[in-house]
Amino acid sequence: MARLAVNVDHVATIRQARLAKYPDPVTAAALAELGGAQGIVVHLREDRRHIQDRDVEILRQTVKTHLNLEMAITEEMINIASKIKPDRCTLVPEKRQELTTEGGLDVLKQEDKVKEAVKRLQEHGIEVSLFIDAEPEQIKAAHRTGCEVVELHTGTFADARKAEERQSAYEALVSGAKLAASLGLKVHAGHGVDYSNILDLRKIEEVEEFSIGHSIVARAVLVGMVQAVRDMLRLIQLGY
Ligand code: PXP
């Protein structure tokens, strides 16, 4: 059964909207764990628009399950990760203007750079995941870098409006997950996963972990973090 890792970036988004001390993503992470989250995820962006360095430092000390740091492949981020040593780093593409991560990392285009980053992080005992689109050539390139995990980008599936687009995005995820698993990679999935589309995504057997942020934080604003995490876990585990 797939695990649920909760991304608390958007708790920090609310805090940063007023440059306040609350709500604290560290508190949200503790509540998510109380609700049953099996991992905590944060994205330390270069522009620090939500998560701050201090959040990652404290989370390293307080997270009891598993801490996954999403980051761009930059010298600054590799240095921060090497010092803080999260359990896993997920390498993502990053553009300053984007509202959120817009697509998977283009591993094919920068294979040597990605390979070098994977190696440097692994030398610090950090497991490395690459966030990629479910395209066979990207999956094979990810495998060649020596990473342990691929997180398949579910955004295209989540955002599809037409039934045919949704179906073809789903089929790409299913075959991508099979290919990655056959290469010995652990398969995770995330981006745009919500309380509705999880019912299809949970059927992809190879997926060991879902990384979910926005939909859970949005529900938590209304019903509380513990309840929001329990609701998602029930869907992942029981399907209703
Ligand atoms: N996985 C990755 C690699 C991401 O960049 C994000 C967004 O930060 C997520 C998962 C979570 O996406 P969402 O907030 O849409 O659930």
Side-chain angles (χ1 to χ4, degrees), residues 11-63:
V11 175
T13 300
I14 299 174
R15 177 189 62 190
Q16 297 309 114
R18 287 292 173 93
L19 299 177
K21 289 193 173 161
Y22 60 86
D24 194 329
V26 175
T27 312
L31 290 170
E33 287 186 323
L34 274 182
Q38 289 131 324
I40 298 297
V41 189
V42 285
H43 183 175
L44 185 66
R45 295 185 73 105
E46 287 181 271
D47 63 10
R48 308 298 197 271
R49 69 170 72 154
H50 40 52
I51 292 295
Q52 305 296 306
D53 298 59
R54 159 269 182 214
D55 301 329
V56 189
E57 281 159 24
I58 301 177
L59 284 167
R60 174 65 294 183
Q61 296 167 44
T62 58
V63 166

Side-chain angles (χ1 to χ4, degrees), residues 63-235:
V63 166
K64 289 160 201 71
T65 52
H66 185 276
L67 180 63
N68 179 5
L69 175 65
E70 289 179 12
M71 55 180 244
I73 306 176
T74 64
E75 200 52 36
E76 182 200 16
M77 288 300 154
I78 293 174
N79 286 335
I80 290 173
S82 307
K83 191 160 69 75
I84 294 182
K85 297 189 176 45
D87 299 295
R88 182 187 316 131
C89 279
T90 299
L91 303 180
V92 301
E94 203 173 294
K95 289 192 224 115
R96 269 171 201 265
Q97 305 81 359
E98 68 193 357
L99 276 180
T100 178
T101 314
E102 282 168 357
L105 190 68
D106 192 343
V107 186
L108 268 179
K109 226 184 193 171
Q110 41 176 348
E111 209 170 310
D112 289 344
K113 182 179 168 190
V114 178
K115 202 175 197 168
E116 168 74 14
V118 169
K119 185 163 156 277
R120 284 176 67 188
L121 292 165
Q122 287 174 337
E123 279 167 5
H124 289 276
I126 303 166
E127 180 179 65
V128 184
S129 172
L130 303 184
F131 178 60
I132 56 171
D133 291 327
E135 289 170 9
E137 291 313 313
Q138 293 291 350
I139 294 167
K140 288 182 208 160
H143 177 244
R144 289 194 295 272
T145 69
C147 68
E148 291 96 342
V149 186
V150 284
E151 181 180 331
L152 299 181
H153 178 229
T154 47
T156 312
F157 166 73
D159 295 339
R161 290 286 155 261
K162 294 198 184 117
E164 316 86 78
E165 284 170 17
R166 194 172 189 276
Q167 185 59 26
S168 74
Y170 188 72
E171 282 165 15
L173 286 166
V174 171
S175 54
K178 287 200 189 318
L179 171 62
S182 75
L183 294 170
L185 291 160
K186 293 182 206 169
V187 184
H188 297 180
H191 211 281
V193 180
D194 64 23
Y195 291 81
S196 161
N197 61 31
I198 188 65
L199 294 176
D200 285 322
L201 292 169
R202 70 184 288 278
K203 294 180 190 150
I204 307 176
E205 283 170 14
E206 291 79 9
V207 176
E208 294 180 29
E209 181 173 306
F210 288 101
S211 174
I212 310 179
H214 188 267
S215 64
I216 291 181
V217 172
R219 181 173 288 220
V221 169
L222 302 178
V223 306
M225 182 57 95
V226 172
Q227 189 60 45
V229 173
R230 282 190 185 146
D231 290 349
M232 184 59 84
L233 265 179
R234 196 190 66 239
L235 292 172

